[in-house]
Amino acid sequence: MAVPFVKLSPLVRVIQTVNDNLLAQAQTLYKQFFPYGVQDDLPDGWRIGTVGEIIEIHDSKRIPLSGANRSKMEKKIYPYYGAASLMDLVDNYIFDGKYLLLGEDGTVVDDAGYPILQYVWGQFWVNNHAHILTGRLGYDVESLYMLFKQTPVKSIVTGAVQPKISQANLRSVQVVIPPEHNLREYNDLVEPLFSLFRANEEECKTFTALRDTLLPKLMSGEIDVSAVQL
């Protein structure tokens, strides 16, 4: 018997495809606004700098939680992030706002050598395996996200057994720093894209929570939808 709630998964996939397209648009615009690399001749007002000049690192606020501690929690409503992904839900939060997470140890780069990034917002917790970043000198979280998506960092990874990107090495990466007014123009242009992205992600979370709540009840027969007209 087909049930209406099972159809949520294709809808989630559609929303995720839309969000992939939104990120692709933001990245295309970033490349158009900031087409120069560290080896290029730069226009007036542009300069070569380091990542350390354009980021704020909030790692000192991190508090790791063991699996045993998390298993005792009851509310389970706030995201708990690790180096590469959402790991769990917990009953409290230590961050509130928009941040960029960049993997510090463990899974820190993808196959092409780019950093593992998580664009996060709202109230959440982070363990001690991800750097927690915001931007400076005109960079906001979104433009910082786009910068790192095209900045290879494999050369700064240390540790053969446990790959690691240290704060010092991250700060040392050379980047092109454009004038702040260029960044403000870009930030204003892509904010509607990211606003829609965030709204879509929240909708996906709602659908997923609905599925996870209702599907076991449907499968067990606790909820009877035999009379539902589709």
Short mmCIF file of all heavy atoms in Angstrom, two decimals, residues 153-190:
data_model
loop_
_atom_site.label_atom_id
_atom_site.label_comp_id
_atom_site.label_asym_id
_atom_site.label_seq_id
_atom_site.Cartn_x
_atom_site.Cartn_y
_atom_site.Cartn_z
N VAL A 153 44.13 23.43 -0.36
CA VAL A 153 44.86 23.51 0.91
C VAL A 153 45.65 22.23 1.20
O VAL A 153 46.19 22.07 2.30
CB VAL A 153 43.91 23.80 2.09
CG1 VAL A 153 43.27 25.17 1.94
CG2 VAL A 153 42.85 22.71 2.22
N LYS A 154 45.75 21.35 0.22
CA LYS A 154 46.43 20.08 0.47
C LYS A 154 47.87 20.29 0.92
O LYS A 154 48.41 19.53 1.73
CB LYS A 154 46.41 19.22 -0.80
CG LYS A 154 46.90 17.80 -0.59
CD LYS A 154 46.69 16.95 -1.83
CE LYS A 154 47.13 15.51 -1.60
NZ LYS A 154 46.91 14.66 -2.79
N SER A 155 48.51 21.35 0.44
CA SER A 155 49.92 21.59 0.77
C SER A 155 50.13 21.95 2.24
O SER A 155 51.25 21.86 2.74
CB SER A 155 50.48 22.72 -0.11
OG SER A 155 49.80 23.94 0.15
N ILE A 156 49.09 22.36 2.95
CA ILE A 156 49.26 22.74 4.35
C ILE A 156 48.80 21.64 5.31
O ILE A 156 48.84 21.82 6.53
CB ILE A 156 48.50 24.05 4.68
CG1 ILE A 156 46.99 23.87 4.54
CG2 ILE A 156 49.01 25.20 3.82
CD1 ILE A 156 46.18 25.02 5.13
N VAL A 157 48.36 20.50 4.76
CA VAL A 157 47.91 19.39 5.61
C VAL A 157 49.13 18.66 6.15
O VAL A 157 50.07 18.34 5.42
CB VAL A 157 47.03 18.42 4.81
CG1 VAL A 157 46.65 17.22 5.68
CG2 VAL A 157 45.78 19.12 4.31
N THR A 158 49.14 18.42 7.45
CA THR A 158 50.23 17.67 8.08
C THR A 158 49.65 16.40 8.70
O THR A 158 48.45 16.27 8.90
CB THR A 158 50.90 18.51 9.17
OG1 THR A 158 49.92 18.90 10.15
CG2 THR A 158 51.53 19.76 8.58
N GLY A 159 50.57 15.46 9.03
CA GLY A 159 50.15 14.23 9.69
C GLY A 159 49.81 13.13 8.71
O GLY A 159 48.85 13.26 7.95
N ALA A 160 50.59 12.06 8.72
CA ALA A 160 50.36 10.95 7.80
C ALA A 160 49.21 10.07 8.26
O ALA A 160 48.40 9.60 7.46
CB ALA A 160 51.63 10.12 7.66
N VAL A 161 49.13 9.82 9.56
CA VAL A 161 48.09 8.94 10.10
C VAL A 161 46.80 9.72 10.33
O VAL A 161 45.71 9.27 9.96
CB VAL A 161 48.56 8.28 11.41
CG1 VAL A 161 47.44 7.43 12.01
CG2 VAL A 161 49.81 7.44 11.16
N GLN A 162 46.92 10.89 10.93
CA GLN A 162 45.77 11.75 11.22
C GLN A 162 45.98 13.09 10.53
O GLN A 162 46.62 13.98 11.08
CB GLN A 162 45.61 11.94 12.73
CG GLN A 162 44.47 12.86 13.14
CD GLN A 162 43.12 12.18 13.14
OE1 GLN A 162 42.88 11.26 12.37
NE2 GLN A 162 42.24 12.60 14.02
N PRO A 163 45.46 13.25 9.30
CA PRO A 163 45.64 14.53 8.60
C PRO A 163 45.12 15.70 9.42
O PRO A 163 44.07 15.59 10.07
CB PRO A 163 44.83 14.34 7.31
CG PRO A 163 44.76 12.85 7.13
CD PRO A 163 44.69 12.28 8.51
N LYS A 164 45.82 16.82 9.37
CA LYS A 164 45.46 17.97 10.19
C LYS A 164 45.76 19.26 9.46
O LYS A 164 46.77 19.38 8.76
CB LYS A 164 46.24 17.95 11.51
CG LYS A 164 45.91 19.11 12.47
CD LYS A 164 46.71 19.00 13.76
CE LYS A 164 46.40 20.15 14.71
NZ LYS A 164 45.01 20.14 15.19
N ILE A 165 44.86 20.25 9.62
CA ILE A 165 45.11 21.62 9.18
C ILE A 165 45.17 22.47 10.44
O ILE A 165 44.14 22.72 11.09
CB ILE A 165 44.01 22.14 8.24
CG1 ILE A 165 44.00 21.33 6.94
CG2 ILE A 165 44.21 23.62 7.95
CD1 ILE A 165 42.90 21.72 5.97
N SER A 166 46.36 22.89 10.80
CA SER A 166 46.51 23.69 12.02
C SER A 166 46.06 25.12 11.78
O SER A 166 45.99 25.59 10.63
CB SER A 166 47.97 23.69 12.48
OG SER A 166 48.78 24.42 11.56
N GLN A 167 45.78 25.84 12.86
CA GLN A 167 45.43 27.25 12.73
C GLN A 167 46.55 28.03 12.05
O GLN A 167 46.30 28.86 11.17
CB GLN A 167 45.16 27.85 14.11
CG GLN A 167 43.82 27.51 14.71
CD GLN A 167 43.50 28.39 15.91
OE1 GLN A 167 44.04 29.49 16.06
NE2 GLN A 167 42.63 27.89 16.79
N ALA A 168 47.78 27.77 12.46
CA ALA A 168 48.93 28.50 11.91
C ALA A 168 49.04 28.28 10.40
O ALA A 168 49.26 29.23 9.63
CB ALA A 168 50.21 28.09 12.61
N ASN A 169 48.93 27.03 9.98
CA ASN A 169 49.03 26.74 8.55
C ASN A 169 47.86 27.34 7.77
O ASN A 169 48.05 27.83 6.64
CB ASN A 169 49.10 25.24 8.32
CG ASN A 169 50.45 24.66 8.68
OD1 ASN A 169 51.42 25.40 8.90
ND2 ASN A 169 50.55 23.35 8.75
N LEU A 170 46.67 27.28 8.35
CA LEU A 170 45.51 27.87 7.68
C LEU A 170 45.70 29.37 7.50
O LEU A 170 45.46 29.93 6.43
CB LEU A 170 44.24 27.59 8.50
CG LEU A 170 42.94 28.18 7.94
CD1 LEU A 170 42.62 27.60 6.57
CD2 LEU A 170 41.78 27.92 8.92
N ARG A 171 46.16 30.03 8.53
CA ARG A 171 46.37 31.48 8.47
C ARG A 171 47.42 31.87 7.42
O ARG A 171 47.39 32.97 6.87
CB ARG A 171 46.80 32.02 9.83
CG ARG A 171 45.72 31.98 10.91
CD ARG A 171 46.29 32.54 12.21
NE ARG A 171 45.36 32.44 13.31
CZ ARG A 171 44.38 33.32 13.57
NH1 ARG A 171 44.23 34.37 12.77
NH2 ARG A 171 43.58 33.17 14.60
N SER A 172 48.34 30.96 7.13
CA SER A 172 49.46 31.29 6.24
C SER A 172 49.13 31.21 4.76
O SER A 172 49.92 31.66 3.92
CB SER A 172 50.64 30.35 6.53
OG SER A 172 50.36 29.03 6.07
N VAL A 173 47.99 30.64 4.41
CA VAL A 173 47.65 30.45 2.99
C VAL A 173 47.52 31.80 2.29
O VAL A 173 46.83 32.70 2.76
CB VAL A 173 46.34 29.65 2.85
CG1 VAL A 173 45.91 29.57 1.39
CG2 VAL A 173 46.49 28.26 3.44
N GLN A 174 48.19 31.94 1.15
CA GLN A 174 48.11 33.18 0.38
C GLN A 174 46.81 33.27 -0.42
O GLN A 174 46.39 32.28 -1.04
CB GLN A 174 49.30 33.30 -0.57
CG GLN A 174 50.60 33.70 0.10
CD GLN A 174 51.63 34.16 -0.92
OE1 GLN A 174 51.68 33.67 -2.04
NE2 GLN A 174 52.45 35.13 -0.53
N VAL A 175 46.20 34.44 -0.41
CA VAL A 175 44.98 34.69 -1.17
C VAL A 175 45.03 36.11 -1.73
O VAL A 175 45.78 36.96 -1.24
CB VAL A 175 43.71 34.54 -0.30
CG1 VAL A 175 43.47 33.09 0.08
CG2 VAL A 175 43.78 35.42 0.94
N VAL A 176 44.23 36.34 -2.76
CA VAL A 176 44.04 37.69 -3.28
C VAL A 176 42.96 38.38 -2.45
O VAL A 176 41.86 37.84 -2.26
CB VAL A 176 43.62 37.66 -4.76
CG1 VAL A 176 43.28 39.07 -5.26
CG2 VAL A 176 44.72 37.05 -5.61
N ILE A 177 43.26 39.55 -1.93
CA ILE A 177 42.30 40.31 -1.13
C ILE A 177 41.82 41.51 -1.94
O ILE A 177 42.59 42.43 -2.22
CB ILE A 177 42.93 40.78 0.20
CG1 ILE A 177 43.40 39.56 1.01
CG2 ILE A 177 41.92 41.60 1.00
CD1 ILE A 177 44.08 39.92 2.32
N PRO A 178 40.56 41.51 -2.35
CA PRO A 178 40.03 42.62 -3.14
C PRO A 178 39.61 43.78 -2.25
O PRO A 178 39.54 43.63 -1.02
CB PRO A 178 38.82 42.00 -3.84
CG PRO A 178 38.36 40.96 -2.88
CD PRO A 178 39.59 40.42 -2.20
N PRO A 179 39.30 44.93 -2.82
CA PRO A 179 38.79 46.05 -2.03
C PRO A 179 37.46 45.66 -1.35
O PRO A 179 36.68 44.88 -1.89
CB PRO A 179 38.57 47.15 -3.07
CG PRO A 179 39.47 46.80 -4.21
CD PRO A 179 39.50 45.30 -4.24
N GLU A 180 37.23 46.24 -0.20
CA GLU A 180 36.04 45.87 0.57
C GLU A 180 34.75 46.21 -0.18
O GLU A 180 33.75 45.49 -0.04
CB GLU A 180 36.06 46.55 1.95
CG GLU A 180 37.11 45.98 2.88
CD GLU A 180 36.94 46.46 4.31
OE1 GLU A 180 35.78 46.69 4.73
OE2 GLU A 180 37.96 46.62 5.00
N HIS A 181 34.75 47.27 -0.97
CA HIS A 181 33.51 47.63 -1.66
C HIS A 181 33.13 46.57 -2.70
O HIS A 181 31.95 46.33 -2.96
CB HIS A 181 33.60 49.02 -2.29
CG HIS A 181 34.58 49.14 -3.44
ND1 HIS A 181 34.26 48.81 -4.73
CD2 HIS A 181 35.87 49.56 -3.46
CE1 HIS A 181 35.31 49.02 -5.51
NE2 HIS A 181 36.30 49.47 -4.76
N ASN A 182 34.13 45.90 -3.31
CA ASN A 182 33.83 44.80 -4.23
C ASN A 182 33.18 43.64 -3.49
O ASN A 182 32.24 43.01 -3.98
CB ASN A 182 35.11 44.32 -4.91
CG ASN A 182 35.72 45.34 -5.85
OD1 ASN A 182 36.21 46.36 -5.39
ND2 ASN A 182 35.69 45.08 -7.15
N LEU A 183 33.71 43.36 -2.31
CA LEU A 183 33.15 42.27 -1.52
C LEU A 183 31.74 42.61 -1.06
O LEU A 183 30.85 41.74 -1.08
CB LEU A 183 34.05 41.98 -0.31
CG LEU A 183 35.33 41.22 -0.63
CD1 LEU A 183 36.35 41.37 0.48
CD2 LEU A 183 35.03 39.74 -0.88
N ARG A 184 31.51 43.84 -0.65
CA ARG A 184 30.17 44.22 -0.21
C ARG A 184 29.16 44.09 -1.35
O ARG A 184 28.03 43.62 -1.15
CB ARG A 184 30.17 45.65 0.32
CG ARG A 184 30.80 45.78 1.71
CD ARG A 184 30.44 47.13 2.33
NE ARG A 184 30.99 48.24 1.55
CZ ARG A 184 32.19 48.78 1.75
NH1 ARG A 184 32.98 48.30 2.70
NH2 ARG A 184 32.60 49.79 1.01
N GLU A 185 29.58 44.46 -2.55
CA GLU A 185 28.70 44.34 -3.72
C GLU A 185 28.36 42.87 -3.98
O GLU A 185 27.20 42.53 -4.24
CB GLU A 185 29.35 44.96 -4.95
CG GLU A 185 28.46 44.98 -6.18
CD GLU A 185 29.13 45.62 -7.38
OE1 GLU A 185 30.26 46.14 -7.22
OE2 GLU A 185 28.54 45.59 -8.47
N TYR A 186 29.37 42.02 -3.91
CA TYR A 186 29.13 40.59 -4.10
C TYR A 186 28.23 40.04 -2.99
O TYR A 186 27.28 39.31 -3.25
CB TYR A 186 30.46 39.83 -4.12
CG TYR A 186 30.25 38.32 -4.14
CD1 TYR A 186 29.92 37.67 -5.32
CD2 TYR A 186 30.36 37.57 -2.97
CE1 TYR A 186 29.71 36.29 -5.34
CE2 TYR A 186 30.14 36.21 -2.98
CZ TYR A 186 29.81 35.57 -4.17
OH TYR A 186 29.58 34.22 -4.18
N ASN A 187 28.54 40.38 -1.74
CA ASN A 187 27.76 39.88 -0.61
C ASN A 187 26.29 40.25 -0.75
O ASN A 187 25.39 39.43 -0.50
CB ASN A 187 28.30 40.45 0.71
CG ASN A 187 29.70 39.97 1.02
OD1 ASN A 187 30.16 38.95 0.51
ND2 ASN A 187 30.41 40.72 1.86
N ASP A 188 26.02 41.49 -1.16
CA ASP A 188 24.63 41.94 -1.32
C ASP A 188 23.94 41.17 -2.44
O ASP A 188 22.74 40.88 -2.36
CB ASP A 188 24.59 43.44 -1.61
CG ASP A 188 24.98 44.29 -0.42
OD1 ASP A 188 24.98 43.76 0.72
OD2 ASP A 188 25.30 45.48 -0.61
N LEU A 189 24.69 40.87 -3.49
CA LEU A 189 24.10 40.19 -4.65
C LEU A 189 23.72 38.75 -4.33
O LEU A 189 22.67 38.27 -4.78
CB LEU A 189 25.10 40.22 -5.82
CG LEU A 189 24.61 39.63 -7.15
CD1 LEU A 189 23.42 40.43 -7.68
CD2 LEU A 189 25.75 39.63 -8.17
N VAL A 190 24.55 38.05 -3.55
CA VAL A 190 24.30 36.62 -3.32
C VAL A 190 23.48 36.35 -2.05
O VAL A 190 23.06 35.21 -1.84
CB VAL A 190 25.60 35.81 -3.27
CG1 VAL A 190 26.35 35.93 -4.59
CG2 VAL A 190 26.47 36.19 -2.10
#
